[in-house]
Amino acid sequence: MVFMAPISPNQNKEVFKNIETDFDSNGRPRHEKKENTLLPKILSVLAAFALWLYVFQAVEEERVFKEIPITVENFNTNLGLDVVSGYESTVDVTITGTKSILNDITSKDIKATVDLSDVTERGTYVKDLNIDVPTAVKVTDKSATQLKISVDKTIEKQIELTPVLSYNIQYPYELGEPVLSADTVTLKGPETDINAVARATLQLNVGSIRNAVSSNAEVTLYDSNNYEIQSKYIVITPSEVQIDVPVYKTVLYGIQPDLVIDKDRFEYTVTPSALYLKGLVNDVDAVSALKTQRAWIDAAGDYELTLALPENVQAFSTYTAEEGTAVSKVTLTVTAKPQPEVTQNPSDAANG
C-alpha cells in the first residue's frame, strides 16, 4: 500500500497553474498543437511544387511565331534567271510543346523554305511550304501552305526623266526650265516588267508660285498606254530626284541716263525711253532704277550709251523677251537749247 502525503493549499495552486500552462482550453497539450499545424503546411508546399513541376514538364501548350521569313533553296543560278517575286514573303507558324521547351525556342529556330530544284525556266510557280522546327516540338498550324513565286531574267535599263509640273502663275512671273539633280534613272528588275516601261516622270504640284521652287519628287513609271506601273520588283536608282524650278519676273523700267551735262545749254532724249527687265525674281526686285553707264556730254549730237544692268538681268524691247529683242545699249540724242539774244544798251552803242 502506497501512502501519499497530503498537499497543502498553496501547493495545490502551483500544481493547477502548471496544468493550465501545459494544456490549452480544449485540453490538448500545447506542444502537440504546434507539431500538428506545421506538418500540413510543409506537405501543402511540397504538393504545390510537385504540381507546378508536373505542369511545367509535362503539360503541352501552343505558341505562335509571327512573320517567319521564307527562303528559297536549291535554285540554279547558272541559268541566268532570278526569283523576282515571292522571295520576300513570311509565314506565321504555331507550334506545340511543353512550356519548358517553348521557353527556349525563338523565331530563329524555325525555318520556312521552298524547294526550287525543278525550276529551269522563267514563269510563275506554286510551291509547297516546308516548315522545320526543333525535334521536341511539332507544327500544329501555319498561315500558308504554299508560296507563289515568279522567275524571270533580271536586267538593267537607263531611262530619261521628264518633269511634269502642276502650277499656277500669273503676270509678271514666268516659269523657267526645270533643272534636275539627275537627268536619267536606272531601272533594275524582271525583264518583263522593265520592258513595259515607256517613260519615267517626276510629278510636282507647286500650286501658285511667285518665286523659285526647289523640291524632291519621286520617280513614277508609265507604260505605252499611259498607265502607271507599280511593280514592287523594279528597283529605281535614284528613286527620288531634286527639282529646281527658276521663276522669272519681267518689269517695265524707264531709262535714266547717268550724264555729266550742262542742262542750261543742252537737252536730250533717250531711245528707247523704257525697256523690260527680265531676270530671277530676287534679282529684278533688287533693281530700283534702270540706268546707263556714266557719260560726259559737252556737245550736241547722238551718243550710244551702255546700260548698267545687274548680273543675271537682261533688258528687252518686248515683254515676251523674244529672241533678238535683247537690248544692251540705248541712243542719247543731245540738242543745244536756244540761247536768248543779248540786247545792246543804246548808251553803249553811242559810245561805240
Side-chain angles (χ1 to χ4, degrees):
M1 180 176 297
V2 178
F3 294 96
M4 299 182 64
I7 299 175
S8 65
N10 291 334
Q11 290 177 330
N12 187 41
K13 291 180 179 180
E14 291 296 325
V15 171
F16 282 100
K17 183 177 179 182
N18 292 334
I19 293 175
E20 292 175 356
T21 302
D22 294 336
F23 293 86
D24 60 18
S25 59
N26 295 321
R28 291 178 296 183
R30 295 184 183 276
H31 67 278
E32 287 185 4
K33 180 179 179 181
K34 292 181 180 180
E35 292 177 357
N36 290 338
T37 57
L38 181 60
L39 182 59
K41 290 181 178 180
I42 295 174
L43 293 176
S44 297
V45 172
L46 292 176
F49 177 75
L51 180 61
W52 173 84
L53 190 61
Y54 169 76
V55 171
F56 189 75
Q57 296 291 338
V59 177
E60 291 188 338
E61 63 178 40
E62 288 186 342
R63 189 166 299 177
V64 179
F65 292 83
K66 292 185 173 295
E67 297 184 350
I68 302 299
I70 301 175
T71 58
V72 296
E73 293 184 338
N74 304 320
F75 180 64
N76 189 351
T77 57
N78 296 324
L79 300 175
L81 300 175
D82 297 292
V83 179
V84 296
S85 71
Y87 59 86
E88 76 289 353
S89 301
T90 63
V91 61
D92 298 339
V93 178
T94 302
I95 62 175
T96 300
T98 61
K99 187 174 183 179
S100 59
I101 295 177
L102 291 178
N103 285 346
D104 294 331
I105 294 178
T106 67
S107 297
K108 295 181 179 179
D109 299 317
I110 303 173
K111 308 297 181 184
T113 61
V114 290
D115 184 12
L116 302 184
S117 57
D118 59 345
V119 175
T120 58
E121 57 185 22
R122 69 179 65 187
T124 301
Y125 301 84
V126 178
K127 292 295 182 179
D128 292 333
L129 189 60
N130 303 312
I131 306 294
D132 294 325
V133 295
T135 55
V137 297
K138 58 184 178 180
V139 178
T140 54
D141 194 16
K142 49 191 174 183
S143 60
T145 59
Q146 293 180 318
L147 178 67
K148 183 178 181 181
I149 63 169
S150 294
V151 176
D152 201 345
K153 183 179 180 181
T154 299
I155 65 171
E156 287 190 7
K157 178 182 179 181
Q158 270 199 339
I159 189 167
E160 188 176 348
L161 283 172
T162 303
V164 179
L165 306 179
S166 298
Y167 61 93
N168 179 26
I169 195 166
Q170 297 178 349
Y171 171 89
Y173 303 98
E174 179 185 344
L175 204 66
E177 192 69 23
V179 178
L180 310 181
S181 61
D183 295 325
T184 62
V185 291
T186 300
L187 309 181
K188 182 178 180 179
E191 185 176 25
T192 304
D193 291 355
I194 296 295
N195 288 339
V197 178
R199 61 190 180 94
T201 67
L202 293 170
Q203 299 186 4
L204 183 63
N205 187 350
V206 294
S208 180
I209 54 177
R210 293 188 175 184
N211 213 327
V213 175
S214 181
S215 181
N216 290 338
E218 292 185 354
V219 178
T220 305
L221 305 178
Y222 290 91
D223 63 15
S224 57
N225 295 319
N226 207 32
Y227 288 105
E228 183 178 349
I229 297 176
Q230 296 180 324
S231 172
K232 60 181 178 180
Y233 306 113
I234 296 179
V235 178
I236 306 173
T237 306
S239 61
E240 195 174 77
V241 174
Q242 181 174 320
I243 304 178
D244 293 316
V245 185
V247 176
Y248 296 97
K249 186 176 183 180
T250 303
V251 180
L252 182 65
Y253 282 85
I255 299 173
Q256 301 177 16
D258 186 2
L259 304 176
V260 178
I261 188 172
D262 186 350
K263 292 184 179 181
D264 292 333
R265 294 176 54 201
F266 302 103
E267 58 185 5
Y268 60 85
T269 59
V270 181
T271 306
S273 61
L275 290 171
Y276 292 96
L277 289 190
K278 181 178 180 179
L280 296 174
V281 174
N282 292 339
D283 294 335
V284 172
D285 287 343
V287 177
S288 58
L290 177 55
K291 295 179 178 288
T292 65
Q293 300 290 347
R294 176 164 292 185
W296 284 262
I297 306 299
D298 58 0
D302 291 333
Y303 299 87
E304 192 175 63
L305 303 180
T306 301
L307 294 172
L309 294 173
E311 188 177 2
N312 300 323
V313 175
Q314 288 183 288
F316 296 89
S317 59
T318 62
Y319 173 79
T320 54
E322 297 173 356
E323 187 177 354
T325 63
V327 178
S328 61
K329 296 181 179 181
V330 294
T331 300
L332 178 73
T333 301
V334 179
T335 57
K337 289 183 177 181
Q339 296 299 316
E341 293 183 3
V342 177
T343 304
Q344 190 174 19
N345 193 312
S347 60
D348 294 336
N351 292 331

